[in-house]
């Protein structure tokens, strides 16, 4: 079956789905049931969701499907359905329509926007849970003669929805920190390319096709919100950074006159999803079926198997066998579609030359890894420098370098007396650690103590990249403990205090990640983290106000942290930021003040004396979504404590 193009780009028949839940006059029970079932079936056809909300989306879609047997029983209800039942079914339809629109947004909205607004989107999910719960609890099961089995399923769904409303999932911290780092305007180092690349991978924006689709989504969002909005400008900046990594042309995304023909072509000619290999997201030349029944490009799935995977990349189920069978039917459909739309498949010669380059590259890497153990200093120095450069190139190269045994040799070089070799080695490990499997390999080689040693005694650039490497490795939760136990927090605080701007940024990022572990908050406070964070707040030119406030917010959840920062001068600093900071600054400062004030009403009085009230009222009306919630929380606290009328 060929998927309708309109489903993918939001045009055509999809417009009918947007209005489907609107009640135009009285609906018959049959119409209500049919339309509601159609919405659930529509949701079931969504292939995937944006990463930031993927888990929540799958859970909500699965719960909606639980209702299908209920509607099937209503369809076959023998007696006339009362007005009371019709009204209940109508409320349920509205709740399902709300959930459908939310899932649709998470299916085709801007990936960057959804990541930046993850907290606001989560609130929308909670609202959807509330509406569904209310509608389901009001259903007159006895009057509708619902069977015990179906009723039990709905009661189970209600229990799950109640649990979901109470749950507050921990955000993807690496994603949040990377967004913060990449959005920064002060850190211009070349190594940031690796962070941009990692972020693009996390957001599934690492192919040309991904970025073309994202560009259209951003254009649509800018029309809805206005192209001058700060959030839109931030999204466009991130989008352009992702394009730079892939070597794409940077154009004015928000200018309608910029590339109308290109955009028109994107909308009118979209490759059907069924024709794209789920691994590469490129149109398939030689589609084959695996044991799970899914279809992939032969070369791609073979590489997957060659990497010791025994699961289906799409369904994640373990495969009974690794044999593949040609999908002739799909291949014929692809051929017919290409001929009809004058679409030319990539030439085999291009793929062959690409493979040759890959093989030559592998030979070069193998040779360089051997030279890391050379007895000649200059040979070692040149080899480790080249490994450092190659490790920045792309994910495939990082995997190859690790595959040829570079990691154990690089770890040994960390204790080498030559400062340049040491610097190149720690930077190469930083670049290699971007790959998730390499994080584990580096950890298993007991690299963390050696990296901390470089952080303490190495050159300034070595210290900076050691801090960045510790941040990357701290994404494995057990390493948060290991780094702290190996006494890695004090030298990070020293770098935060005395390092260059780049060093301070590396240190603050690593300390933020480590402070997510409860015990590390105390260790960071004892290491003296609060004073240098205060300095970051005072020196706006460093551009790290948001980062400092983010760590202070974590520390404010601990009694010792609140004690350290509960000085009048700090409260005044927070109020000054709330008054004159950027929208993001105001959001972070308001969050910290709320956390402090929730545990000590004297902070509310101090903030009021410094003139915070009118600025909180302003933020509650026109701040960012998160800032509005925090400002309202503070205003409510002030009201309860009788500090304001």
């Amino acid at each position: 079956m060929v998927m309708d193009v309109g489903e993918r780009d939001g045009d055509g028949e999809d417009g009918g789905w947007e209005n489907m839940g609107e009640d135009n006059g009285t609906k018959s029970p049959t119409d209500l049931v049919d339309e509601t079932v159609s919405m659930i079936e529509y949701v079931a056809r969504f292939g995937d969701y944006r990463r930031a909300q993927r888990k929540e989306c799958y859970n909500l879609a699965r719960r909606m499907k639980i209702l299908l047997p209920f509607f099937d029983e209503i369809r076959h209800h023998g007696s006339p359905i009362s007005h009371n039942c019709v009204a209940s079914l109508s409320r349920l339809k509205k709740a399902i329509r709300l959930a459908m629109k939310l899932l649709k947004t998470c299916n085709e909205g801007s990936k960057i926007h959804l990541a930046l607004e993850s907290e606001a989107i989560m609130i929308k999910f909670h609202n959807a849970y509330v509406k569904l719960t209310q509608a389901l609890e009001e259903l007159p099961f006895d009057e509708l003669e619902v069977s015990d089995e179906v009723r039990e399923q709905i009661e189970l769904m209600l229990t799950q929805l109640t649990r979901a409303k109470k749950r507050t999932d921990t955000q993807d911290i690496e994603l949040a920190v990377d967004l913060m780092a990449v959005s920064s305007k002060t850190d211009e180092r070349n190594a940031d390319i690796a962070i941009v690349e990692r972020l693009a991978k996390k957001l599934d924006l690492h192919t040309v096709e991904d970025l073309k689709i994202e560009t259209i989504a951003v254009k649509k969002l800018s029309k809805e919100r206005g192209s001058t909005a700060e959030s839109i400008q931030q999204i466009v900046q991130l989008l352009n950074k992702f394009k730079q990594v892939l070597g794409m042309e940077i154009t004015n995304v928000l200018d309608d006159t910029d590339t109308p023909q290109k955009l028109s072509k994107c909308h009118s000619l979209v490759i059907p999803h069924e024709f794209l290999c789920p691994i590469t997201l490129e149109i398939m030349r030689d589609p084959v079926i695996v044991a799970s029944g899914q279809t992939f490009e032969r070369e791609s799935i073979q590489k997957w198997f060659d990497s010791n995977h025994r699961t289906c990349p799409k369904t994640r189920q373990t495969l009974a066998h690794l044999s593949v069978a040609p999908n002739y039917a799909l291949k014929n459909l692809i051929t017919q579609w290409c001929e009809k739309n004058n679409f030319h498949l990539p030439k085999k010669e291009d793929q062959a030359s690409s493979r040759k380059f890959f093989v030559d590259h592998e030979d070069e890497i193998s040779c360089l890894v051997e030279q890391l153990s050379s007895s000649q200093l200059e040979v070692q120095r040149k080899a480790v420098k080249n490994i450092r450069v190659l490790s920045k190139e792309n994910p495939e190269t990082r995997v190859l370098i690790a595959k040829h045994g570079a990691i154990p040799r690089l770890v040994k070089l960390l204790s080498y007396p030559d400062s340049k070799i040491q610097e190149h080695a720690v930077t190469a490990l930083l670049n290699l650690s971007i790959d998730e499997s390499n994080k584990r390999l580096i950890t298993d080689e007991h690299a963390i103590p050696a990296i901390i040693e470089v952080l303490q005694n190495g050159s300034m650039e070595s210290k900076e990249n050691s801090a960045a490497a510790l941040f990357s490795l701290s994404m494995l939760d057990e390493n948060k403990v290991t780094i702290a136990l190996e006494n890695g927090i004090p030298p990070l605080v020293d770098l935060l205090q005395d390092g260059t701007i780049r060093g301070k940024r590396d240190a603050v990022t690593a300390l933020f990640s480590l402070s997510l572990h409860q015990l590390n908050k105390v260790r960071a406070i004892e290491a003296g983290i609060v004073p240098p964070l205060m300095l970051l707040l005072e020196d706006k030119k460093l551009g790290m106000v948001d980062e400092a406030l983010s760590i202070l917010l974590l520390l404010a959840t601990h009694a010792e942290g609140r004690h350290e920062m509960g000085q009048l001068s700090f409260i005044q600093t927070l109020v000054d930021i709330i008054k004159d900071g950027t929208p993001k600054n105001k959001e972070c400062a308001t969050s910290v003040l709320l956390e402090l004030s929730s545990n000590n009403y004297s902070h509310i009085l101090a903030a009021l004396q410094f003139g915070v009230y009118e600025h909180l009222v302003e933020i509650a009306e026109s701040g960012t979504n998160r800032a509005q919630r925090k400002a309202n929380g503070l205003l409510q606290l002030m009201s309860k404590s009788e500090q304001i009328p």
Side-chain angles (χ1 to χ4, degrees), residues 182-193:
V182 173
S183 299
S184 168
K185 299 176 182 176
T186 60
D187 192 359
E188 299 296 334
R189 87 172 104 183
N190 292 330
D192 273 356
I193 295 173

Side-chain angles (χ1 to χ4, degrees), residues 215-226:
T215 298
I216 295 170
V218 171
K219 255 189 173 308
K220 182 178 178 183
L221 184 67
S222 71
K223 288 179 180 177
E224 295 171 355
R225 299 201 167 193

